[in-house]
């Protein structure tokens, strides 16, 4: 079952967010490692569903650590410590919270975090991440597993992935459009996947756009990261989050309206439109993976 996301749960989320941010600020842990962990978590659960092999990867949280790449064991150990401080928060929520904190600490944007992921024993495995040897079609296929098919979202997330896998030794630890500026530099040596970004017309268009328009990158990256992070989030969490935001909007509308009748009508419209937005967004079919 999904956790009960009440006031207490949100308080613990806020405390965990601060702890994660403090770890990065104190240099005890690198933001790229947290970002990589968040990515790996989503690609791993998608891969387990596609391979129908979840049973082989969900024995126990501690026992399966040895099955993951050693490179992310430090990340998992750090998350374990945060989990010990806030036991009611599920591991999948902590993985995605860490990723969102990382984006902010890397100079990126504030991304909305919606809590409520069901507890899972599936550990993030970096072997499931896209690699540097993939062709355009292979990149599309691996991102389709996490329900991302829009070229702009693929390219934006690939830029984030390059930073996430660069490690603390990288010279530029900023999540901005600088990667795409460098990508267009003819002097830069390219991996097969980077060549794919330039050889494929749709991908190349996005690279050029991001290299010249930083705000376009931030806007598309925010959409793409949220879409990736929300994979596996129960429908109930989406609906509850939207209703809470709608209620907040209603209060603002009522406070701003001098005529109570007009205020109520506008407030009702906000609630209805927001609710149908979520329903339409998540309806098509029950395709988003639910954590098990």
């Amino acid at each position: 079952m999904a956790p009960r996301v009440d006031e207490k749960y949100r308080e613990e989320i806020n405390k965990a967010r601060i702890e994660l941010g403090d770890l990065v600020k104190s240099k005890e842990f690198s933001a790229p490692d947290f970002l990589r962990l968040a990515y790996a978590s989503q690609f791993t659960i998608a891969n387990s569903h596609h391979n129908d092999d979840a049973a082989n990867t969900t024995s126990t949280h501690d026992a399966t650590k040895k099955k993951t790449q050693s490179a992310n064991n430090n990340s998992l150990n750090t998350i374990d410590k945060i989990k010990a401080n806030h036991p009611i928060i599920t591991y999948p929520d902590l993985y995605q919270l860490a990723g969102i904190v990382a984006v902010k600490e890397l100079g990126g944007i504030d991304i909305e975090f919606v809590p409520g992921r069901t507890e899972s024993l599936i550990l993030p495995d970096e072997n499931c991440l896209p690699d540097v040897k993939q062709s355009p079609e292979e990149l599309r296929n691996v991102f389709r597993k996490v329900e991302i098919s829009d070229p702009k979202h693929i390219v934006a997330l690939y830029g984030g992935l390059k930073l996430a896998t660069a490690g603390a030794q990288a010279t530029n630890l900023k999540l901005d459009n600088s990667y795409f500026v460098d990508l267009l530099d003819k002097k830069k040596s390219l991996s097969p996947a980077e060549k794919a970004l330039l050889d494929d017309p749709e991908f190349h268009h996005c690279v050029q756009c991001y290299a010249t328009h930083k705000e376009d990158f931030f806007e598309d990256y925010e959409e793409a990261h949220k879409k990736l992070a929300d994979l596996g989030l129960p429908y109930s969490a989406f609906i509850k989050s939207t209703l809470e935001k709608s209620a907040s909007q209603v209060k603002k509308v009522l406070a701003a309206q001098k005529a109570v009748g007009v205020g109520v009508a506008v407030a009702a419209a906000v609630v209805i439109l927001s609710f149908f937005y979520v329903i339409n967004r998540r309806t098509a079919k029950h395709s988003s993976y639910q954590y098990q």
Side-chain angles (χ1 to χ4, degrees):
M1 294 179 62
R4 180 182 178 184
V5 183
D6 53 15
E7 184 177 351
K8 175 62 176 176
Y9 195 89
R10 293 184 182 279
E11 287 177 358
E12 295 302 304
I13 287 287
N14 289 334
K15 291 176 183 177
R17 186 196 296 267
I18 293 172
E19 289 178 28
L20 290 165
D22 287 344
L23 283 172
V24 175
K25 291 184 177 72
S26 66
K27 308 299 182 183
E28 291 184 49
F29 205 80
S30 75
D33 287 342
F34 277 149
L35 185 58
R36 188 169 67 253
L37 181 69
Y39 286 165
S41 174
Q42 301 305 77
F43 278 97
T44 301
I45 191 154
N47 192 63
S48 71
H49 278 268
H50 276 271
N51 292 338
D52 196 25
D53 194 30
N56 292 331
T57 59
T58 58
S59 53
T60 66
H61 196 268
D62 290 332
T64 52
K65 279 186 182 178
K66 61 184 179 183
K67 295 183 180 180
T68 66
Q69 278 190 322
S70 59
N72 72 347
N73 278 345
N74 287 338
S75 306
L76 293 172
N77 290 336
T78 301
I79 293 297
D80 280 344
K81 293 176 182 178
I82 302 292
K83 171 75 169 176
N85 294 338
H86 312 282
I88 66 172
I89 303 178
T90 64
Y91 275 108
D93 269 352
L94 284 175
Y95 296 147
Q96 297 315 310
L97 181 62
I100 285 175
V101 168
V103 168
K104 182 62 176 176
E105 294 299 328
L106 288 166
I109 61 280
D110 282 314
I111 298 176
E112 179 192 15
F113 176 73
V114 179
R117 294 161 184 79
T118 304
E119 188 62 281
S120 173
L121 299 178
I122 299 177
L123 282 175
D125 185 353
E126 293 180 13
N127 290 307
C128 296
L129 291 172
D131 63 43
V132 298
K133 299 179 181 179
Q134 292 170 319
S135 67
E137 190 55 33
E138 288 171 331
L139 276 178
R140 285 186 170 90
N141 286 337
V142 74
F143 275 98
R144 283 193 192 105
K145 290 182 179 181
V146 290
E147 300 187 359
I148 291 177
S149 57
D150 193 319
K152 68 181 182 180
H153 291 160
I154 294 174
V155 174
L157 282 174
Y158 191 86
L161 183 63
K162 288 296 292 184
L163 176 59
T165 55
Q169 73 277 9
T171 55
N172 178 26
L173 289 178
K174 288 290 184 182
L175 184 59
D176 56 22
N177 68 331
S178 57
Y179 168 71
F180 301 101
V181 175
D182 292 341
L183 197 57
L184 293 176
D185 184 351
K186 302 299 182 182
K187 298 179 182 179
K188 182 181 183 296
S189 60
L190 303 176
S191 69
E194 289 175 328
K195 289 179 181 177
L197 294 183
L198 297 181
D199 292 341
D200 183 273
E202 289 184 318
F203 290 160
H204 194 172
H205 173 74
C206 296
V207 171
Q208 287 184 314
C209 177
Y210 296 156
T212 54
H213 302 287
K214 181 185 293 187
E215 293 308 313
D216 285 348
F217 167 69
F218 282 142
E219 180 178 344
D220 290 348
Y221 181 84
E222 180 180 6
E223 289 179 3
H225 187 112
K226 185 158 178 31
K227 185 175 178 65
L228 179 64
D230 288 351
L231 183 72
L233 192 64
Y235 295 141
S236 58
F238 279 103
I239 295 173
K240 182 175 181 179
S241 175
T242 300
L243 291 177
E244 288 175 348
K245 286 185 288 185
S246 297
S248 177
Q249 292 173 339
V250 167
K251 291 179 181 178
K252 292 179 181 179
V253 169
L254 290 175
Q257 295 293 331
K258 294 182 179 179
V260 176
V262 174
V264 171
V266 173
V270 170
V271 172
I272 293 171
L273 289 175
S274 297
F275 184 79
F276 276 104
Y277 169 76
V278 162
I279 296 301
N280 290 331
R281 179 184 174 194
R282 306 288 294 172
T283 50
K285 62 178 182 177
H286 195 87
S287 59
S288 289
Y289 310 120
Q290 301 296 299
Y291 287 98
Q292 299 178 1

